[in-house]
């Protein structure tokens, strides 16, 4: 496997025969939780930024070589979106005082990111339909990650009101 394919498939998780986007997102979630715990939010943010920029460039090359727009094995976009959702939810969870706020942030960031990533409402859907190349592939997931993070925060705020 080439380095490009290893990167674009997020270490091969996008090659899963069943639900490659979900498998890639779960792998990114696990990696993101470890990075947050051991290296901090700033490191995960910088990694997300680097992966996004490199992802756009590499997806453009991949699409030029294959002639296929957004093949399902490319899941590096899910990784970037998942990490944004996780960072937003985890940053707010750190300020909350209800039991299992950190675990809630992890679960809710995953669920809400996948919701927006699959549903693609409003701007997310427009980006997915209208922007071509690596920019389109990456940006709908970036916006889904931000929306997912904010939805997770709103749900956690509701949970905190109960405690």
């Amino acid at each position: 496997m080439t380095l490009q394919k290893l990167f674009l498939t997020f270490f091969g998780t996008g090659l899963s025969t069943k639900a490659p986007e979900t498998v890639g997102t779960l792998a990114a979630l696990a990696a993101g939780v470890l990075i947050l715990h051991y290296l901090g939010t700033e490191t995960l943010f910088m990694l997300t930024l680097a992966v996004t920029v490199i992802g756009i460039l590499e997806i453009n090359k991949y699409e030029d070589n294959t002639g296929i727009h957004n093949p399902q094995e490319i899941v590096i976009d899910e990784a970037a979106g998942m990490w944004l959702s996780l960072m937003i939810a985890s940053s707010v969870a750190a300020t909350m005082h209800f039991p299992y706020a950190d675990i809630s942030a992890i679960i809710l960031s995953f669920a809400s990111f996948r919701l927006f990533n699959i549903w693609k409402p409003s701007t997310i859907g427009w980006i997915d339909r209208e922007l071509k190349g690596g920019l389109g592939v990456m940006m709908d997931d970036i916006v889904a990650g931000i929306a997912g993070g904010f939805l997770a925060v709103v749900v956690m705020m509701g949970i905190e009101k109960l405690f």
Side-chain angles (χ1 to χ4, degrees):
M1 182 180 306
T2 66
L3 188 58
Q4 180 192 46
K5 192 141 188 176
L6 192 66
F7 173 77
L8 292 177
T9 63
F10 197 68
F11 304 102
T13 59
L15 300 173
S16 171
T17 56
K18 295 188 184 200
E21 289 184 349
T22 301
V23 173
T25 303
L26 282 169
L29 176 64
V33 167
L34 290 172
I35 293 165
L36 277 179
H37 182 74
Y38 290 106
L39 302 172
T41 305
E42 297 85 2
T43 301
L44 186 56
F45 179 79
M46 293 307 293
L47 182 60
T48 304
L49 183 61
V51 161
T52 300
V53 172
I54 295 166
I56 291 168
L57 299 172
E58 290 303 317
I59 290 167
N60 283 338
K61 290 178 195 173
Y62 189 83
E63 287 186 354
D64 286 347
N65 289 339
T66 64
I68 303 168
H69 175 66
N70 201 6
Q72 72 177 31
E73 70 263 13
I74 293 179
V75 294
I76 197 63
D77 51 329
E78 272 77 18
M82 181 65 250
W83 290 344
L84 285 168
S85 185
L86 178 64
M87 280 185 280
I88 293 166
S90 294
S91 294
V92 174
T95 69
M96 295 187 154
H97 304 291
F98 67 89
Y100 308 108
D102 292 339
I103 299 295
S104 297
I106 293 167
I107 294 167
L108 290 169
S109 66
F110 172 79
S112 57
F113 168 68
R114 288 301 292 146
L115 171 73
F116 285 110
N117 187 240
I118 293 167
W119 178 28
K120 298 187 186 310
S122 185
T123 304
I124 301 166
W126 182 88
I127 292 168
D128 184 56
R129 287 186 310 275
E130 301 298 328
L131 290 183
K132 301 303 176 203
L135 186 63
V137 173
M138 291 299 293
M139 291 314 293
D140 72 310
D141 290 83
I142 295 298
V143 177
I146 293 167
F150 286 135
L151 177 59
V153 166
V154 168
V155 172
M156 288 189 305
M157 289 170 67
I159 293 170
E160 188 174 45
K161 293 280 185 198
L162 298 174
F163 289 92

